[in-house]
């Protein structure tokens, strides 16, 4: 068994990173964003290990791992960050053992750093309506980018899809007759989600009057295009949502908050958990169940504000 050198800049470490990235993409089907996050977490761990005397992968033991987590805790990193980095380390060392790069997995004795159960950001109906109305009003100037932005935010709220799923959608993924959008989610799992008339109106305006003005020779079949004719990227969509939120005076939200908001509003409107799970593309029902806690918190707050005996 040949141990990979892990010092910063070592050629073997670069090969190690490349092989792990290939494993994540090919075997686990994770997104490019998750690959980058895992590689960053592993780099952070290996840099810590090198500073504490490790020269190759086999030198990373439970003491180094615990010291790594303790150093982050002392630096006041959030429990969510610690939980994610611990998960990345476990995934990395399971792969390293499986591929013969280390004889044993040092993370087996690592305690679980559970993320705090913070509830996701959710907008009430009135502020999300203001945000969507602002996008529609911007689009009235006929600017192709503004029409695209209107379609983007309407679809994010109407379907509850992840921003990466929306950016990855193509024109042919829209079924205008049935008001359905096909997306590819985590693990390359495909699903079809419904959307309503307001989103359909925005998408129709974009496909008829906006997209034809942005498309270029060599443009991809992407549903949403950037101003230069390429597929829109997630950062552009995040900027649009942040700008609209600031314009209408609601709390600064990210596109993912529109997903949380859609899920919560579906449950509050009477949808069952299984339906919401299918729409959101959650592998586990327990992930969807957190939105019941959000709904309960909102109900409790409304009760305390309104009931004279609260």
């Amino acid at each position: 068994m040949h141990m990979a050198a892990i010092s910063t800049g070592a050629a073997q470490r670069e090969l190690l990173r490349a092989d792990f990235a290939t494993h994540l993409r090919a075997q686990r089907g994770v997104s490019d964003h998750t690959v980058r996050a895992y590689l960053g977490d592993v780099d952070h761990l290996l840099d810590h290990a090198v500073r504490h005397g490790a020269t190759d992968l086999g030198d990373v033991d439970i003491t180094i791992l615990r010291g790594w987590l303790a150093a982050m805790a002392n630096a006041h990193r959030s429990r969510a960050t610690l939980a994610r980095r611990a998960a990345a380390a476990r995934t990395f060392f399971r792969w390293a053992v499986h591929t013969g790069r280390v004889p044993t997995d040092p993370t087996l004795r690592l305690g679980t750093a559970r993320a705090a159960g913070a509830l996701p950001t959710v907008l009430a109906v009135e502020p999300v309506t203001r945000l969507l109305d602002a996008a529609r009003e911007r689009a009235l100037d006929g600017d192709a980018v503004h029409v695209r932005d209107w379609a983007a935010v309407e679809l994010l709220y109407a379907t509850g899809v992840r921003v990466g799923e929306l950016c990855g959608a193509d024109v042919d993924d829209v079924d205008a007759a049935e008001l359905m959008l096909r997306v590819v989610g985590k693990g390359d799992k495909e699903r079809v989600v419904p959307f309503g008339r307001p989103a359909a109106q925005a998408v129709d305006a974009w496909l008829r009057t906006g997209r034809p003005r942005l498309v270029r020779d060599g443009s991809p079949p992407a549903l949403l295009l950037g101003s230069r004719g390429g597929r829109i990227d997630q950062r552009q969509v995040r900027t649009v949502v942040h700008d609209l939120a600031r314009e209408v005076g609601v709390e600064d939200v990210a596109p993912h908050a529109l997903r949380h908001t859609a899920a919560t509003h579906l449950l509050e409107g009477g949808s069952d958990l299984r339906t919401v799970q299918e729409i959101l593309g959650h592998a586990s029902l327990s992930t969807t169940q957190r939105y019941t806690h959000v709904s309960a918190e909102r109900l409790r707050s409304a009760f305390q504000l309104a009931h004279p005996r609260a």
Side-chain angles (χ1 to χ4, degrees):
M1 180 178 295
H2 180 69
M3 300 292 182
I6 59 173
S7 58
T8 303
Q12 285 178 294
R13 177 155 162 186
E14 289 305 310
L15 287 173
L16 189 70
R17 293 177 84 261
D19 288 348
F20 182 50
T22 298
H23 161 74
L24 290 172
R25 292 189 180 97
Q27 301 300 319
R28 293 173 63 89
V30 301
S31 69
D32 287 342
H33 173 76
T34 302
V35 170
R36 288 192 296 272
Y38 270 42
L39 290 179
D41 293 340
V42 170
D43 276 338
H44 192 271
L45 167 59
L46 297 184
D47 287 344
H48 172 89
V50 169
R51 288 195 299 271
H52 289 78
T55 59
D56 59 48
L57 198 57
D59 293 332
V60 182
D61 58 15
I62 186 62
T63 301
I64 286 176
L65 287 165
R66 286 172 176 162
W68 175 56
L69 292 177
M72 287 188 286
N74 291 336
H76 305 292
R77 295 298 182 97
S78 70
R79 289 172 63 188
T81 296
L82 267 63
R84 192 200 72 224
R85 286 189 162 170
R90 289 188 179 90
T91 300
F92 175 72
F93 276 102
R94 278 198 300 268
W95 166 78
V97 169
H98 182 72
T99 56
R101 288 172 166 84
V102 291
T104 58
D105 181 355
T107 67
L108 292 176
R109 296 170 57 200
L110 190 65
T112 300
R114 295 191 179 274
L119 296 176
T121 299
V122 172
L123 296 175
V125 174
E126 190 273 334
V128 79
T129 300
R130 277 194 283 132
L131 189 149
L132 296 172
D133 285 347
R136 178 177 53 81
E137 288 168 11
R138 272 190 187 182
L140 292 177
D141 65 5
D143 184 289
V145 170
H146 290 165
V147 179
R148 179 205 65 197
D149 294 346
W150 176 34
V153 294
E154 283 283 3
L155 283 173
L156 285 171
Y157 174 63
T159 64
V161 297
R162 302 174 180 93
V163 63
E165 294 170 345
L166 179 61
C167 292
D170 290 338
V171 173
D172 289 345
D173 291 327
V174 176
D175 186 335
E178 297 296 329
L179 302 186
M180 303 290 279
L181 175 68
R182 181 173 62 243
V183 294
V184 178
K186 292 183 176 181
D188 288 332
K189 292 181 180 177
E190 184 180 291
R191 70 184 189 281
V192 178
V193 292
F195 56 87
R197 296 292 175 186
Q201 181 185 5
V203 171
D204 178 66
W206 159 244
L207 292 178
R208 284 189 302 103
T209 69
R211 193 179 186 281
R213 298 209 302 275
L214 294 186
V215 73
R216 305 284 188 271
D217 289 340
S219 286
L223 172 60
L224 300 179
L225 296 175
S227 57
R228 297 182 179 178
R231 184 181 296 274
I232 197 171
D233 66 41
Q234 297 183 35
R235 288 172 297 180
Q236 291 173 277
V237 179
R238 290 192 182 97
T239 298
V240 168
V241 176
H242 287 309
D243 287 349
L244 285 167
R246 185 164 52 248
E247 180 180 319
V248 300
V250 302
E251 60 181 301
D252 190 18
V253 294
H256 214 65
L258 294 180
R259 173 174 166 86
H260 296 322
T261 299
T264 304
H265 291 178
L266 281 168
L267 287 171
E268 291 177 343
S271 290
D272 62 274
L273 269 176
R274 289 289 181 187
T275 299
V276 177
Q277 177 190 10
E278 187 174 344
I279 288 172
L280 296 182
H282 287 157
S284 169
L285 188 62
S286 62
T287 306
T288 315
Q289 283 176 327
R290 66 177 172 164
Y291 294 109
T292 63
H293 302 310
V294 176
S295 297
E297 285 296 322
R298 289 158 63 91
L299 184 63
R300 185 178 297 110
S301 296
F303 171 80
Q304 290 173 341
L305 286 171
H307 199 289
R309 304 285 284 184

